[in-house]
Amino acid sequence: RDGVRTARPPRGPGAARCARRLRRLAIAVTAAGLVATSGAAAVPPAVPEWSSPGLVGGGGPSHHGVPLPPHESSGASYLPGSSVVRLRDGRMRLVPPGGDTAITVPADDPRVRAAVRADRAWLASGTVPTGGLGERYEAMSARALLDLRLLTRPNGASQASWYGIWRYSWPRDSAFAAAAFAVSGHSAEARSVLAFMARVQDPDGTWAARYHVDGRPVTDGRDRQLDALGWMLWATWFAEATTSDEAGDGPASLPGELWTMVRRAADHLALSLDAEGLPPASSDYWERDPRTEEDPRRPTLGVVGPVLAGLRSAAALAERGSAEAARWGAAADRLSDALAHQFAPLGYPRSPVKGGRMDTSVTFIAPPFAPRDAGVTAAIAHAFDEQVLPNGGVLPGEEWPGNKEIAWTPEVALFGLAAAASGRTRTALDRLDWLRRHRTSLGVLPEKVGPDGHQAAVAPLGWTASMVVLSLAALEDPLPIPPVPE
């Protein structure tokens, strides 16, 4: 979410590899120095708000969260299976059910027991995916689900996080939150998130880049992002596929507002394809001006992947044999052909140009968004190698124009999800273990990790939490994949 709009000069492959080697060497030296001095470093006088290691909550509606101040986090921990925090002095910090302000009470206060009991009952009403490995991931998974619950408002608005510019609802992040709720058995929460996005959708099928939690679009100049349509279509189908005995029973299986959302978004995408079968160039999960891309005329893989998954999902949601199923299925086939001709011969770079830079969005055309493909699997491995940092995390893409020392947890989680959903268990566990090791002091998943291995942005981040839940679920049972139209 850096919003970087700086164009980069073209470089030859040899120069790029040399620059990467030098950059990684410099980062490694910097990281070593930071590690050597961090133990004696004093706490800076001005601590960013996002440095809070997690949210304090309560056990009941409205599931309000309040950041734990950094100076109070030392020695603090969550009571297992809850959003109640035990402070270092033994007192408890929680938000009473129905409240919006944190209170500090003795450990024997009855409100503590009530809040913990309610949180654990909510977790028990669904499942806590563990990848079939029990305690190894149970705490991380439970914390991710509880954080998603705290980030979701009673009206279904799912916030990216709880601070400043992150305290908004992105359609992309919301789609993954709905999928995580669905796969963990919390279908009411999944439907609530989808229903919120249905209510704020524009009549032309698009969404603003992000929304206030009351449904007003954020007017900050960000362009609409076409990938949002694909992600919302995929999430709607995924929620149906994981919570219904049969997915694809047609619009009758969806509430009317969700079917209207699907129809609007799918028609917009189908009509947007050009003569090559590609959608128009658009901002994607990088949230950059398309004119700064290596091929400004064509969409990035970060748009193509979600749009393809969305069109296939919409076709599967439509009534079998209907005009909608045929129309959206035909559009998906055209886009699939364009992907095969424009991106595949080049090794699936971010933009369809020879020698194009690799990007995490190559995971968008792998399971659970598309059927497994050997060429895509190889491209994912290549992308990870090009993006990995000395701390073991990854940049969003090769030659990322933002801070090149900071690892992004959503990208690590996307690589993990692709591996878990494709049956590459060892790789998936490597990515999940990295995320587990780089949680905050409260065990919460942050957005970014610095070269010293510490939190470098907000925590929790809903998008990362969602993908951890999905990855662990995929290790237990195969996740549904949008079917290729017949």
Side-chain angles (χ1 to χ4, degrees):
R1 307 208 190 287
D2 285 355
V4 176
R5 296 179 181 269
T6 304
R8 295 163 294 175
R11 300 178 182 176
R17 283 193 296 271
C18 180
R20 282 195 299 273
R21 285 195 294 270
L22 290 173
R23 186 183 73 238
R24 288 170 182 167
L25 177 60
I27 292 172
V29 172
T30 301
L34 285 169
V35 171
T37 60
S38 61
V43 177
V47 180
E49 182 185 22
W50 56 253
S51 62
S52 169
L55 301 177
V56 177
S62 61
H63 315 302
H64 202 83
V66 176
L68 183 69
H71 68 275
E72 294 185 278
S73 64
S74 176
S77 62
Y78 286 108
L79 294 183
S82 82
S83 295
V84 177
V85 172
R86 183 194 300 275
L87 300 176
R88 180 170 50 185
D89 63 9
R91 293 181 301 162
M92 302 295 173
R93 179 71 55 83
L94 73 153
V95 177
D100 59 8
T101 303
I103 61 173
T104 302
V105 298
D108 59 358
D109 190 295
R111 289 170 291 187
V112 174
R113 293 192 298 275
V116 172
R117 187 164 53 246
D119 277 339
R120 291 175 180 173
W122 181 78
L123 287 174
S125 70
T127 61
V128 177
T130 64
L133 295 169
E135 294 182 359
R136 178 171 173 177
Y137 299 116
E138 185 175 10
M140 179 168 66
S141 183
R143 183 75 259 140
L145 284 168
L146 288 167
D147 284 338
L148 286 171
R149 189 188 190 208
L150 290 177
L151 291 172
T152 303
R153 310 315 308 131
N155 65 351
S158 179
Q159 298 174 178
S161 192
W162 203 264
Y163 317 89
I165 61 171
W166 291 268
R167 200 170 180 173
Y168 299 113
S169 182
W170 273 263
R172 179 187 312 110
D173 301 49
S174 298
F176 280 83
F181 280 135
V183 82
S184 60
H186 299 289
S187 57
E189 286 78 3
R191 279 281 174 90
S192 178
V193 173
L194 295 172
F196 173 83
M197 296 311 306
R199 291 193 297 273
V200 300
Q201 184 188 37
D202 282 353
D204 69 353
T206 64
W207 281 275
R210 55 184 184 162
Y211 292 86
H212 296 277
V213 295
D214 62 5
R216 292 176 295 119
V218 179
T219 55
D220 62 352
R222 299 189 189 208
D223 295 332
R224 290 171 182 262
Q225 296 156 16
L226 200 61
D227 65 321
L229 282 68
W231 287 132
M232 290 307 304
L233 290 171
W234 167 77
T236 305
W237 173 84
F238 185 90
E240 287 295 296
T242 52
T243 59
S244 303
D245 292 334
E246 278 189 52
D249 292 334
S253 67
L254 287 176
E257 61 184 346
L258 294 190
W259 174 244
T260 298
M261 178 183 75
V262 167
R263 179 173 47 77
R264 286 173 171 175
D267 276 344
H268 185 102
L269 292 181
L271 291 171
S272 76
L273 302 188
D274 62 17
E276 294 180 303
L278 291 171
S282 165
S283 179
D284 62 10
Y285 81 113
W286 276 23
E287 300 192 312
R288 289 198 324 177
D289 188 327
R291 291 172 296 182
T292 67
E293 301 293 346
E294 290 181 289
D295 185 352
R297 302 168 303 158
R298 291 183 173 88
T300 63
L301 200 55
V303 172
V304 171
V307 170
L308 179 57
L311 285 169
R312 286 173 173 170
S313 297
L317 284 167
E319 184 177 353
R320 292 181 178 90
S322 67
E324 290 93 348
R327 183 166 66 251
W328 301 334
D333 286 342
R334 290 184 61 214
L335 180 52
S336 179
D337 289 344
L339 177 68
H341 288 94
Q342 299 287 343
F343 289 85
L346 304 171
Y348 299 104
R350 174 173 171 81
S351 291
V353 297
K354 187 176 182 181
R357 295 158 184 162
M358 300 304 294
D359 182 73
T360 307
S361 58
V362 68
T363 62
F364 300 165
I365 53 173
F369 315 115
R372 185 173 181 178
D373 177 271
V376 172
T377 300
I380 289 173
H382 176 53
F384 185 88
D385 288 343
E386 293 299 316
Q387 296 167 220
V388 69
L389 291 172
N391 70 7
V394 294
L395 296 172
E398 185 183 9
E399 299 300 321
W400 166 244
N403 190 316
K404 295 176 174 60
E405 298 182 3
I406 302 294
W408 289 63
T409 66
E411 281 66 23
V412 176
L414 279 166
F415 282 113
L417 176 57
S422 301
R424 293 181 284 114
T425 302
R426 178 171 294 183
T427 299
L429 296 180
D430 285 345
R431 309 293 174 255
L432 287 165
D433 282 339
W434 187 89
L435 291 166
R436 185 171 58 120
R437 291 193 303 271
H438 291 88
R439 293 174 293 162
T440 70
S441 61
L442 285 180
V444 174
L445 292 156
E447 181 188 45
K448 304 176 192 176
V449 175
D452 59 357
H454 295 152
Q455 175 188 359
V458 295
L461 187 75
W463 196 18
T464 302
S466 298
M467 286 185 285
V468 164
V469 171
L470 289 166
S471 298
L472 291 168
L475 291 174
E476 296 177 347
D477 293 296
L479 296 181
I481 297 171
V484 176
E486 298 179 357

